[in-house]
């Protein structure tokens, strides 16, 4: 039966107030913040680390699907159809006929991207879903500061025309690696994406500054904003109000409060 309540299903994402622009979404979710705090705690070890990463990204990709992806009307007979001709659910659901590409940026992006790939296959037509792979590393200066990012290898399985291009990378620190990855797709991969979405656990003001300047078309989703090295009076303001004074990176470009190097802790490989 057609119920007008489900003709247009509203989805209202809860997010914190900020001044970073309409394409930045810092999700306000106490449950996710608690799980992320456990993930970042000093005493948390494997296999708990990767279990929590999967839990967090399951919620994140569902949020992105609800907010960003198009809908369609569905009519699905239920198990009651044999006894009642009205036993048909009709309502708005995610459109399965949408292309999507998730990009694994090794190392930290491997687990999140695989999880996103699997969930996309369950939600969309699997023939329209793809996972690409980029091997990237930071380039350091004389004082071990990040001065850029380089691509050591890639496996890109085709064009991205009219596809949602997703980058599930846990930590948005400097933004240099991800900005380079996105630039690579824009310049070297055929087709124009339907939308580009970065999906993070934590971002910094420095990352948001880099990303919004380099790629203002990109939408950013994150569970937490870390600006812990800002002064107390800056921390008392709405994020983005005094953006130039906000700081979330130490001198080695690690996030504070952060959770350490996620490529390291997720792979138990400190290289």
């Amino acid at each position: 039966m057609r119920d007008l309540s489900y003709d247009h299903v509203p989805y209202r994402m809860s997010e914190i107030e900020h001044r970073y622009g309409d394409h930045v979404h810092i999700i306000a979710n106490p449950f996710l913040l608690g799980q992320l705090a456990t993930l970042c705690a000093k005493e948390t070890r494997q296999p708990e680390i990767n279990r929590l990463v999967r839990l967090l990204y399951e919620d994140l990709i569902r949020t992105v699907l609800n907010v960003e992806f198009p809908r369609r009307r569905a009519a699905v007979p239920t198990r009651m159809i044999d006894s009642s001709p009205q036993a048909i659910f009709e309502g708005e659901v995610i459109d399965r006929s949408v292309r999507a590409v998730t990009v694994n940026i090794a190392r930290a992006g491997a687990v999140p991207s695989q999880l996103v790939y699997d969930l996309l296959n369950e939600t969309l037509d699997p023939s329209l879903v793809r996972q690409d792979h980029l091997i990237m590393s930071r380039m350091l200066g004389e004082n071990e500061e990040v001065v850029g990012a380089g691509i050591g290898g890639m496996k890109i399985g085709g064009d991205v025309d009219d596809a949602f291009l997703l980058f599930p990378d846990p930590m948005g620190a400097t933004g240099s690696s991800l900005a380079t990855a996105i630039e690579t797709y824009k310049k070297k991969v055929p087709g124009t994406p339907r939308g580009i979405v970065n999906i993070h656990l934590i971002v910094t003001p420095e990352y948001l500054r880099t990303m919004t300047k380099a790629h203002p078309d990109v939408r950013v989703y994150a569970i937490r904003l870390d600006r812990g090295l800002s002064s107390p009076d800056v921390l008392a303001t709405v994020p983005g109000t005094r953006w130039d004074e906000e700081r979330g990176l130490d001198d080695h470009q690690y996030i504070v409060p952060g959770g350490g190097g996620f490529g390291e802790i997720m792979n138990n490989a400190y290289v």
Side-chain angles (χ1 to χ4, degrees):
M1 290 292 290
R2 181 176 180 182
D3 185 336
L4 291 179
S5 300
Y6 296 99
D7 267 6
H8 301 285
V9 180
Y11 181 82
R12 300 178 182 90
M13 178 179 61
S14 179
E15 51 187 310
I16 69 168
E17 181 184 3
H18 63 75
R19 304 284 185 268
Y20 300 124
D22 293 339
H23 282 185
V24 175
H25 304 284
I26 312 298
I27 298 169
N29 186 313
F31 171 78
L32 294 183
L33 286 171
Q35 298 300 309
L36 180 55
T38 300
L39 170 60
C40 295
K42 184 177 180 180
E43 63 273 12
T44 303
R45 297 287 186 268
Q46 291 289 14
E48 188 74 354
I49 287 172
N50 284 1
R51 185 192 70 80
L52 287 167
V53 169
R54 293 186 185 96
L55 180 151
L56 293 165
Y57 266 97
E58 283 180 359
D59 201 288
L60 277 171
I61 187 56
R62 290 185 182 118
T63 297
V64 170
L65 284 165
N66 278 316
V67 176
E68 297 287 345
F69 279 55
R71 319 279 187 83
R72 68 172 178 87
R73 284 191 54 78
V76 182
T78 76
R79 293 184 181 88
M80 293 298 294
I81 193 64
D82 293 337
S83 60
S84 175
Q86 290 86 15
I88 300 175
F89 165 74
E90 294 188 43
E92 194 176 56
V93 298
I94 301 296
D95 187 353
R96 288 179 56 84
S97 60
V98 175
R99 294 190 71 198
V101 178
T102 179
V103 183
N104 160 28
I105 298 182
R107 297 180 295 177
V111 170
S113 184
Q114 183 65 46
L115 184 139
V116 169
Y117 176 69
D118 291 338
L119 286 176
L120 289 174
N121 276 316
E122 295 176 5
T123 307
L124 309 177
D125 179 346
S127 68
L128 302 176
V129 177
R130 189 178 87 229
Q131 181 172 206
D132 290 346
H133 303 267
L134 297 182
I135 299 173
M136 302 193 69
S137 59
R138 292 176 168 185
M139 295 186 293
L140 303 179
E142 293 181 358
N143 299 314
E144 296 188 354
E145 77 280 10
V146 176
V147 295
I151 297 179
M154 63 180 72
K155 289 289 186 180
I156 296 176
D159 68 82
V160 292
D161 198 45
D162 201 34
F164 282 95
L165 184 58
L166 309 177
F167 292 90
D169 196 31
M171 309 296 269
T174 67
S176 59
S177 296
L178 202 46
T180 299
I182 294 170
E183 189 70 14
T184 298
Y185 271 86
K186 287 182 175 180
K187 289 186 174 181
K188 297 184 178 181
V189 180
T192 301
R194 186 168 184 161
I196 302 175
V197 185
N198 297 348
I199 311 172
H200 305 290
L201 301 182
I202 298 174
V203 294
T204 67
E206 293 93 330
Y207 161 86
L208 293 174
R209 187 179 300 113
T210 296
M211 193 56 57
T212 54
K213 287 183 178 179
H215 301 289
D217 56 319
V218 170
R219 275 93 82 184
V220 175
Y221 287 79
I223 294 174
R224 200 172 82 197
L225 166 75
D226 279 9
R227 50 176 185 160
L229 293 176
S230 307
S231 64
D233 58 320
V234 170
L235 289 172
T237 65
V238 172
T241 303
R242 295 165 63 176
W243 198 346
D244 289 341
E245 300 175 63
E246 293 179 347
R247 186 182 174 199
L249 296 174
D250 65 15
D251 292 338
H252 296 289
Q253 280 70 51
Y254 277 89
I255 300 175
V256 177
F262 267 51
E264 299 170 345
I265 64 170
M266 291 172 67
N267 293 280
N268 209 23
Y270 296 86
V271 178

